[in-house]
């Protein structure tokens, strides 16, 4: 009974926290909705409220409150910048429109768009696709400039996307960008409609996405555990966090050991930050918080990447978060460079395990609307969705790594026999057509068929062993097995180069394969992945 009650209380608390978060997100949207065009273009709107961030704070509330108006000003400035070039913004014309039920009095509408114009954003590199958090101008005209919205008789309002649904028919060859999109939007004011319940024209012009701003807004309103902030802001708490045991002479020994593993590219300040953080990680006596700060361009990202790499080397599980996907990708990219540089030097081969590093998040928001093949190649190697797909292929029933090795061994041992079977099949076809096999077209020679079948078998094998080496955690594959994998990849590449040389003599090649069939071929000792998984 007690356990069930605790679970019910936990669920109620979780639901209450989620409701508060949603309310705080709505607070920011309501602030934006309260702005007039004059407010958006008024650079002094929050002049009396945005103050210099102090170096010390009286309380957690004082700290959080110091950033609220700067965030509002940053949001206003971003909105203003986009409205100045509103004629270049992605634009959609509504094809259907209906009011939606609201439980809190909000003005919600369901709107359908069949297509969008000016789809390229971010300097023409990213194709626009509506998503939750987008801020639109809903207008009865296509504005050439923001002044068009001010004309007498014009109807317009700000709107925020609550939900976006893309409908793609199973046999539709169109991409997601060209497919119909259904949006549920919250509007700042009611949209005027005619007697038929629809405007003569209704256009949506995309301005900015406020998802990151909403998350910061929620955090600034202190929803969640405030203890970490108390540790960071309180001088007394910071002093109590210093462990007397770990700050003794023994700590100096640890520091000297760690110092040898830290990159020489860091300066003295950055190195000190990494050492202090690692010492805190090693301490089992007290929970502590370390804050790495500094102006832009002082190497905070480089320092954090070095710190994450050193915690990884010490087998410490670490979660790194950032307020934007760009920041997450930047940190992940730098950590990945450090991992590759060290492990490739350690193994002496141009391949290494990256299975201990994992990048996850929304693929659309992290990589934009890029096709999977066009994604950042290095980051693709550690991205969760991509890793799952590669390992699924390696352990699938028809694409498993054992099948890849067996296919290559079968090719090497039975190449000549397979060619004879191929000729017999072709001879049967020729006889049925009453033709001469020597004059028939389309029959491959031994060399041609060998080259074709080698490529068909070698490429999947290469991809499979490389995927296993890259995507499985380091402790699953021993260093000597990574050396064997590197040797295998080198031999496959070398054999392919020799096989496709112009001076290859088919007769000698056939004799070589016949010798292998007669004398047998040594079966390599494969990694027992199943027992080590």
């Amino acid at each position: 009974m007690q356990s069930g009650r605790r679970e019910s209380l936990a669920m109620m608390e979780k639901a209450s926290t989620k409701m508060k978060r949603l309310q705080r997100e709505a607070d920011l949207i309501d602030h934006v909705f309260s702005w007039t065009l004059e407010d958006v273009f008024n650079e002094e709107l929050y002049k009396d409220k945005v103050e210099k961030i102090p170096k010390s704070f009286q309380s957690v509330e004082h700290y959080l409150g110091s950033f609220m108006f700067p965030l509002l000003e940053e949001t206003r400035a971003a909105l203003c910048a986009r409205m100045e070039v509103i004629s270049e913004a992605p634009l959609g014309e509504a094809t259907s429109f209906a009011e939606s039920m609201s439980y809190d009095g909000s003005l919600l509408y369901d709107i359908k768009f069949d297509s969008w114009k000016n789809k390229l954003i971010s300097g023409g590199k990213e194709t626009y696709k509506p998503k939750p958090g987008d801020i639109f101008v809903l207008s009865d005209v296509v504005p050439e400039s923001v002044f068009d919205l001010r004309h007498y008789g014009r109807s317009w309002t700000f709107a925020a996307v609550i939900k976006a649904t893309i409908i793609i028919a199973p046999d539709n060859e169109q991409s997601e960008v060209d497919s119909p999109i259904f949006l549920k939007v919250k509007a700042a004011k009611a949209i005027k409609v005619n007697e038929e319940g629809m405007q003569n024209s209704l256009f949506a012009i995309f301005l900015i996405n406020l998802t990151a701003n909403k998350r910061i807004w929620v955090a600034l309103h202190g929803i969640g555990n405030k203890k970490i902030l108390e540790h960071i802001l309180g001088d007394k708490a910071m002093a109590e966090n210093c462990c007397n045991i770990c700050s003794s002479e023994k700590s100096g020994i640890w520091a000297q050991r760690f110092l040898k593993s830290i990159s020489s590219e860091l300066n003295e300040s950055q190195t000190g930050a990494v050492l202090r953080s690692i010492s805190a990680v090693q301490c089992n006596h007290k929970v502590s918080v370390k804050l790495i700060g500094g102006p832009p361009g002082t190497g905070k990202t480089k320092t954090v990447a070095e710190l994450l790499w050193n915690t990884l080397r010490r087998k410490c599980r670490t979660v790194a978060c950032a307020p934007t996907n760009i920041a997450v990708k930047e940190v992940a990219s730098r950590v990945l460079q450090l991992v590759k540089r060290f492990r490739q030097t350690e193994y002496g081969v141009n391949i290494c395990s990256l299975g201990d590093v994992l990048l996850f998040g929304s693929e659309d928001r992290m990589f934009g609307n890029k096709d999977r093949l066009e994604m950042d190649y290095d980051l693709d190697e550690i991205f969760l969705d991509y890793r799952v797909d590669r390992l699924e292929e390696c352990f699938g029933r028809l694409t498993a790594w054992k099948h890849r090795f067996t296919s290559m061994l079968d090719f090497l041992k039975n190449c000549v026999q397979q060619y004879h079977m191929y000729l017999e099949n072709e001879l049967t076809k020729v006889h049925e057509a009453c033709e001469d096999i020597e004059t028939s077209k389309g029959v491959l020679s031994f060399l041609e068929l060998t080259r074709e079948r080698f490529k068909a078998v070698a490429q999947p094998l290469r991809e499979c062993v490389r995927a296993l080496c890259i995507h499985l955690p380091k402790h699953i594959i021993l260093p000597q097995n990574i050396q064997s994998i590197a040797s295998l990849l080198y031999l496959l590449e070398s054999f392919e180069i020799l096989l496709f040389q112009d001076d290859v003599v088919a007769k000698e090649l056939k004799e070589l394969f016949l010798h292998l069939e007669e004398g047998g071929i040594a079966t390599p000792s494969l990694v027992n992945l199943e027992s080590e998984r």
Side-chain angles (χ1 to χ4, degrees):
M1 293 290 291
Q2 289 293 333
S3 176
R5 183 179 180 183
R6 283 196 297 269
E7 290 179 1
S8 299
L9 291 174
M11 292 178 63
M12 290 174 62
E13 183 177 355
K14 185 176 181 180
S16 175
T17 301
K18 183 178 180 180
M19 183 61 67
K20 289 179 181 179
R21 178 179 60 79
L22 293 175
Q23 290 172 349
R24 291 307 182 189
E25 288 183 359
D27 285 349
L28 178 61
I29 298 297
D30 289 339
H31 271 285
V32 174
F33 284 179
S34 70
W35 294 336
T36 62
L37 284 180
E38 288 72 19
D39 291 334
V40 172
F41 284 88
N42 182 8
E43 295 182 357
E44 298 186 356
L45 183 63
Y46 293 106
K47 180 180 179 180
D48 298 332
K49 298 180 180 179
V50 175
E51 301 176 352
K52 184 178 180 180
I53 305 299
K55 294 183 178 180
S56 60
F57 303 90
Q58 300 172 2
S59 64
V60 171
E61 288 72 20
H62 179 212
Y63 168 76
L64 295 173
S66 298
F67 294 92
M68 290 183 185
F69 284 109
L71 178 62
L72 287 173
E73 170 57 23
E74 181 180 304
T75 304
R76 184 209 63 79
L79 197 62
C80 175
R82 293 300 300 173
M83 294 192 75
E84 287 179 343
V85 290
I86 196 170
S87 62
E88 303 173 7
L91 169 74
E93 182 175 5
T95 55
S96 69
F97 167 89
E99 292 188 25
S100 180
M101 183 178 294
S102 171
Y103 296 99
D104 59 358
S106 300
L107 298 171
L108 300 183
Y109 298 93
D110 292 319
I111 310 176
K112 177 187 175 185
F113 298 89
D114 287 338
S115 61
W116 290 82
K117 298 178 181 178
N118 299 344
K119 299 174 188 174
L120 296 181
I121 56 176
S122 302
K125 297 179 180 179
E126 182 181 349
T127 304
Y128 175 68
K129 183 173 66 175
K131 52 186 176 289
D134 285 353
I135 299 296
F136 288 154
V137 162
L138 293 181
S139 173
D140 59 352
V141 295
V142 178
E144 291 296 326
S145 72
V146 71
F147 297 102
D148 292 340
L149 302 178
R150 297 176 173 177
H151 288 174
Y152 178 77
R154 295 303 184 198
S155 173
W156 74 274
T157 181
F158 285 125
V161 177
I162 307 300
K163 182 180 180 181
T165 305
I166 302 175
I167 306 297
I168 303 178
D171 56 346
N172 191 354
E173 296 182 356
Q174 290 182 316
S175 65
E176 287 188 358
V177 179
D178 298 321
S179 301
I181 298 178
F182 293 84
L183 300 181
K184 183 180 289 293
V185 304
K186 176 182 177 181
K189 59 184 180 181
I191 300 174
K192 296 179 181 179
V193 296
N194 55 29
E195 296 179 356
E196 288 77 25
M198 177 66 184
Q199 280 197 335
N200 294 328
S201 296
L202 180 64
F203 301 93
I205 303 96
F206 167 71
L207 297 176
I208 58 175
N209 184 278
L210 285 185
T211 298
N213 297 51
K214 289 193 296 183
R215 290 170 180 167
I216 297 173
W217 183 262
V218 170
L220 291 179
H221 282 77
I223 297 176
N225 194 335
K226 295 184 180 180
K227 289 185 178 179
I228 187 171
L229 290 177
E230 294 172 353
H231 277 289
I232 294 174
L233 298 174
D235 293 335
K236 182 179 179 181
M238 291 294 288
E240 291 176 351
N241 281 335
C242 297
C243 178
N244 295 326
I245 300 175
C246 292
S247 60
S248 64
E249 185 177 352
K250 183 179 179 181
S251 178
I253 299 175
W254 278 102
Q256 291 299 320
R257 185 181 301 176
F258 293 153
L259 194 59
K260 296 178 181 179
S261 64
I262 294 178
S263 172
S264 59
E265 297 179 2
L266 300 185
N267 59 34
E268 183 178 351
S269 175
Q270 294 165 344
T271 300
V274 174
L275 285 175
R276 288 189 293 272
S277 299
I278 292 176
S279 299
V281 172
Q282 294 293 327
C283 177
N284 296 319
H285 310 100
K286 284 191 175 183
V287 176
S288 61
V289 176
K290 299 295 180 182
L291 183 64
I292 299 174
T298 53
K300 296 186 295 296
T301 304
K302 181 195 293 186
T303 305
V304 170
E306 187 72 38
L307 174 59
L308 290 172
W309 163 232
N310 276 275
T311 56
L312 175 63
R313 292 178 64 182
R314 284 158 183 80
K315 300 180 180 180
C316 296
R317 293 184 176 182
T318 310
V319 176
C321 307
T324 66
N325 290 309
I326 293 176
V328 171
K329 288 170 60 178
E330 181 63 27
V331 173
S333 178
R334 295 193 183 219
V335 172
L336 189 58
Q337 291 174 16
L338 292 171
V339 174
K340 283 187 172 183
R341 186 191 311 168
F342 178 83
R343 289 185 176 171
Q344 288 175 358
T345 302
E346 180 183 32
Y347 298 139
V349 295
N350 191 29
I351 187 172
C352 64
S353 169
L354 304 175
D356 298 320
V357 183
L358 188 63
L359 171 66
F360 57 92
S362 168
E363 183 173 328
D364 286 345
R365 293 187 176 182
M366 192 165 291
F367 297 99
N369 295 319
K370 294 181 180 179
D371 184 81
R372 172 62 65 82
L373 297 176
E374 298 177 355
M375 286 164 55
D376 309 57
Y377 175 72
D378 286 344
L379 292 181
D380 206 17
E381 293 178 329
I382 61 173
F383 188 60
L384 176 61
D385 295 7
Y386 182 81
R387 175 164 294 168
V388 169
D389 291 342
R390 297 291 76 76
L391 290 178
E392 186 177 28
E393 291 175 359
C394 293
F395 293 100
R397 188 179 66 176
L398 300 178
T399 58
W401 62 275
K402 282 187 176 182
H403 173 72
R404 302 301 187 198
F405 278 101
T406 301
S407 298
M408 176 56 72
L409 292 173
D410 182 58
F411 165 78
L412 294 173
K413 292 192 293 185
N414 303 309
C415 184
V416 177
Q417 183 181 350
Q418 290 172 357
Y419 181 69
H420 290 159
M421 293 175 61
Y422 164 76
L423 286 181
E424 288 180 7
N425 292 335
E426 292 299 317
L427 183 61
T428 301
K429 296 177 184 178
V430 169
H431 286 170
E432 291 177 354
C434 299
E435 297 179 1
D436 183 358
I437 189 172
E438 295 182 358
T439 60
S440 62
K441 298 180 180 180
V443 178
L444 301 177
S445 66
F446 174 75
L447 181 58
E448 291 172 335
L449 186 65
T450 300
R451 287 173 172 172
E452 185 180 283
R453 288 192 168 173
F454 176 79
K455 289 181 67 175
V457 174
Q459 185 60 26
L461 175 59
R462 271 195 292 255
E463 293 177 356
C464 183
V465 295
R466 184 178 290 275
L468 290 173
C469 187
I470 291 174
H471 294 294
L472 289 177
K474 180 184 176 184
H475 72 275
I476 289 184
I477 305 180
L478 299 176
Q480 57 266 32
N481 288 330
I482 292 182
Q483 295 283 350
S484 298
I485 289 174
S487 298
L488 171 62
L489 294 174
Y490 172 76
L491 291 172
L492 288 172
E493 183 179 356
S494 299
F495 185 80
E496 184 171 358
I497 292 173
L498 293 172
L499 184 61
F500 282 83
Q501 286 183 351
D502 294 334
D503 58 353
V504 174
V505 180
K507 183 177 180 181
E508 294 180 0
L509 183 65
K510 185 181 292 188
E511 290 177 355
L512 176 62
F513 278 109
L514 282 172
H515 176 71
L516 291 175
E517 291 184 12
E518 293 171 359
I521 182 172
T523 303
S525 177
L526 303 181
V527 183
N528 188 0
L529 292 170
E530 291 186 342
S531 63
E532 296 184 13
R533 271 187 296 172

